[in-house]
Amino acid sequence: MRIAVAGKGGAGKTTISATMARLFAQRGYRVNALDDDPNPNLANALGLTAQQVERLRGIAREDIMEERVDAQNHASLHLTIPFEPVIDDYGVVGPDGVRMLMMTALPGAGKG
């Protein structure tokens, strides 16, 4: 199952996402949490330590994914490497076993 949370800024998306991720993990589900916000805060909301947050590296989509177009001209994204190495190289395992990845991050003031 995949669950995406989207909405207006300040609506509580990060808080809801972190709570859902930890609750599902506590119930025995395998959870991969992906923060794709330009100002990522999901790691903090999940309760990752400062060392874990520091280890997270933003992943550029083009580093691990490619776009494929089918015969009906529908585009979709596909991993170019297996998922486990993505977690190992870019992610961390946080409280309750939630595996966290960060897709984007602000490059710094004036660089975005």
Side-chain angles (χ1 to χ4, degrees):
M1 171 189 336
R2 292 184 180 115
I3 300 172
V5 180
K8 176 181 168 309
K13 299 177 298 292
T14 298
T15 302
I16 294 295
S17 298
T19 301
M20 288 174 52
R22 291 194 65 182
L23 287 172
F24 277 118
Q26 288 170 5
R27 288 177 170 85
Y29 292 93
R30 186 170 165 173
V31 177
N32 299 309
L34 174 68
D35 196 346
D36 196 22
D37 193 310
N39 185 21
N41 291 300
L42 184 57
N44 293 323
L46 284 170
L48 271 62
T49 66
Q51 293 80 15
Q52 288 175 309
V53 172
E54 193 172 299
R55 185 180 180 283
L56 282 171
R57 297 187 300 144
I59 306 170
R61 286 181 184 94
E62 54 274 1
D63 289 346
I64 64 166
M65 301 182 98
E66 66 183 6
E67 184 175 317
R68 297 180 191 161
V69 180
D70 65 17
Q72 290 78 34
N73 208 29
H74 296 114
S76 58
L77 292 173
H78 296 267
L79 285 173
T80 57
I81 60 176
F83 186 70
E84 290 304 321
V86 173
I87 291 287
D88 294 341
D89 293 345
Y90 296 95
V92 297
V93 179
D96 303 312
V98 174
R99 301 181 328 165
M100 166 79 196
L101 288 170
M102 182 174 61
M103 290 298 289
T104 60
L106 292 175
K111 296 180 184 175

